[in-house]
Structure formats: C-alpha cells, structure tokens
C-alpha cells in the first residue's frame, strides 16, 4: 500500500495542466527570487575583487556580507530558480519547496557557524535572517495551492487526492445531502 501512495504522488505532475493558474504563482516566486539572488551574486563579484574566495570577514554588498564563494553560490541558485521559472508547473513548485527548505536549513547551519573559522560563506546575522526570509518565501510560493485543508474542488491537487468525488462532481452527481431536522447538540444525518 505504501508503494501505491508513492507512485500516486510521483504521478501528481500529470494532474496539473500546463496553463493552470497555479503555474504562474510558482513561476513568479522562482523568477523573483532567482533575480534577487543573481543580482546579489553579480554585485558580490563586482564589489569583492579584493576579498578572497573563502574569506570569512567578507564584504558588504546590498546590506549583506559576501565573499567569492557566496557570490558563486548565489548565482548558481539564482540560475537554477530561473530554470524552474522557465519550466514552470510542478517543477517550479517542487524546486521552490526544496530550495526554500535548503535556505532555512542553511540559515540554521550558518547561525551555528557565526564567529567561527568555519564560516566560509562570510555569513553575518543579517545573512542568516535573509536566508530564513527567502526560504520561507520560496516555500510559500511552492506550496501555494498544493497544501491546505480548504482547497477548491477545481484544484488539480485536490482532484488527485479525491478522485472518486472529482468524478462524481464531473458527472454532475451531488454529494450526500443532510436530511432531517438539526437539533442543538446533534450531528446531521447523511442519506
């Protein structure tokens, strides 16, 4: 049974039409975040000619500390997010979620490495906070319309989780109705 749920979740990509409105949300999230990271990485290279690749003090660029390694990493992640934006759909959504979690995890790891010689990305506290904020934003963009208790019934994710009810609604069958009088403290009966 566990194998069947893994297969059904892997096939979820087929349930999201290419032009579905959720794809725009995933693309915007990936694109804006990718643009932000690319800009930071390029400015880091432009302004850090005298800073070493793994130098821990770093240089301040756009209010954040950076060195050569963080600039390269920012450009690489920004390019990956742009690739997700171009691809769109569930690829962009999944990429936003995974990279969002990675940013949050990176924030915690770099928080532990502050003020040590192991701080090879030249993080400061504001970099940690930036990492948390970007990670949470990416996760929100990635999970938008995918998770929640009140997804609309035309949502492809809701339809893939409730296939029998989706088929009934497509045929025009009505959901079970409540009958009888409802008295205070009693639950309604289903037909």
């Amino acid at each position: 049974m566990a194998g069947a749920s893994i297969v059904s979740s892997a096939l979820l990509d087929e349930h999201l039409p290419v032009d579905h409105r959720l794809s725009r949300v995933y693309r915007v999230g990936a694109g804006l975040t990718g643009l932000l990271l690319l800009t930071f990485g390029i400015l880091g290279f432009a302004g850090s000619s005298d800073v070493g690749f793994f130098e821990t003090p770093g240089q301040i660029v756009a209010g954040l500390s950076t060195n050569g390694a963080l600039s390269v990493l920012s450009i690489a992640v920004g390019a990956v997010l742009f690739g997700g934006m171009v691809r769109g759909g569930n690829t962009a959504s999944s990429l936003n979620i995974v990279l969002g979690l990675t940013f949050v995890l990176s924030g915690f790891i770099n928080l532990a490495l502050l003020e040590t010689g192991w701080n090879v990305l030249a993080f400061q506290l504001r970099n940690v906070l930036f990492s948390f904020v970007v990670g949470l934003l990416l996760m929100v963009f990635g999970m938008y319309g995918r998770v929640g208790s009140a997804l609309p019934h035309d949502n492809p994710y809701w339809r893939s989780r409730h296939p029998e009810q989706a088929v009934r609604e497509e045929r025009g069958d009505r959901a079970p109705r409540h009958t009888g009088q409802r008295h205070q403290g009693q639950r309604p009966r289903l037909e």
Side-chain angles (χ1 to χ4, degrees):
M1 283 302 222
S5 67
I6 292 172
V7 170
S8 68
S9 67
L11 296 177
L12 192 57
D13 286 354
E14 297 174 8
H15 298 289
L16 184 63
V18 175
D19 62 345
H20 197 276
R21 66 182 184 274
L22 292 174
S23 184
R24 281 178 269 177
V25 174
Y26 307 144
R27 285 176 183 238
V28 166
L32 290 177
T33 309
L35 179 65
L36 178 72
L37 292 173
L38 280 170
T39 303
F40 175 71
I42 290 168
L43 288 175
F45 268 134
S48 65
S49 59
D50 57 338
V51 177
F53 198 73
F54 288 112
E55 197 164 314
T56 55
Q59 178 176 350
I60 303 298
V61 173
L64 300 171
S65 177
T66 188
N67 61 13
L70 185 58
S71 295
V72 167
L73 189 60
S74 297
I75 290 171
V77 172
V80 168
L81 283 167
F82 259 105
M85 178 191 72
V86 169
R87 175 73 190 222
N90 282 359
T91 302
S93 172
S94 298
L95 191 62
N96 286 345
I97 294 169
V98 168
L99 288 177
L101 289 170
T102 304
F103 266 88
V104 171
L105 180 63
S106 168
F108 281 116
I109 290 170
N110 284 297
L111 181 62
L113 297 177
L114 288 178
E115 308 285 330
T116 70
W118 292 96
N119 186 8
V120 295
L121 295 177
F123 262 56
Q124 293 180 357
L125 187 57
R126 57 186 146 207
N127 294 71
V128 171
L129 296 175
F130 176 80
S131 187
F132 287 149
V133 169
V134 167
L136 291 174
L137 283 174
L138 278 172
M139 285 190 297
V140 166
F141 275 119
M143 291 181 192
Y144 182 80
R146 266 186 114 158
V147 296
S149 62
L151 294 176
H153 291 204
D154 68 337
N155 182 297
Y157 297 104
W158 182 90
R159 297 179 73 71
S160 70
R161 292 181 195 131
H162 305 92
E164 296 87 17
Q165 188 172 351
V167 168
R168 279 196 316 266
E169 288 181 7
E170 278 181 12
R171 286 189 315 216
D173 294 350
R174 293 171 34 148
R177 296 182 298 135
H178 297 291
T179 61
Q181 294 288 332
R182 186 170 182 183
H183 300 286
Q184 192 172 7
Q186 290 184 335
R187 291 183 165 197
R189 296 185 321 234
L190 293 178
E191 279 185 356

